[in-house]
Amino acid sequence: MALSEPGKTSMPGFPRSDLEDPSGPWQRALPGAVELGADLDTFRARVAAEGLQVPVAWLGHGGWNALWQRAAR
């Protein structure tokens, strides 16, 4: 499921976030993602081409906004 438009870094939900905010949660998570094997060049290219996408199975009841609120706590 697409959460953002292709090439956009602003993320919906509460709290609002931006993939490129240097002090935001997305940038703080990148070192851990790399440690787990993520390829950041591929990630950035896919967000630019397709937007940020997550598996529908991650969303469960309440969709993206509910998942993001839980994660942000």
Side-chain angles (χ1 to χ4, degrees):
M1 170 177 211
L3 300 177
S4 68
E5 295 178 36
K8 302 290 184 184
T9 61
S10 177
M11 295 301 302
F14 181 81
R16 293 194 61 77
S17 62
D18 192 290
L19 297 174
E20 296 298 327
D21 178 356
S23 61
W26 299 97
Q27 291 296 311
R28 290 193 319 264
L30 290 179
V34 169
E35 187 175 318
L36 292 170
D39 178 341
L40 293 185
D41 292 332
T42 300
F43 170 73
R44 289 185 174 111
R46 288 187 75 175
V47 169
E50 304 170 15
L52 183 68
Q53 297 190 14
V54 298
V56 172
W58 286 9
L59 302 181
H61 183 69
W64 169 250
N65 288 332
L67 175 63
W68 184 239
Q69 283 180 323
R70 287 191 304 271
R73 284 188 214 135

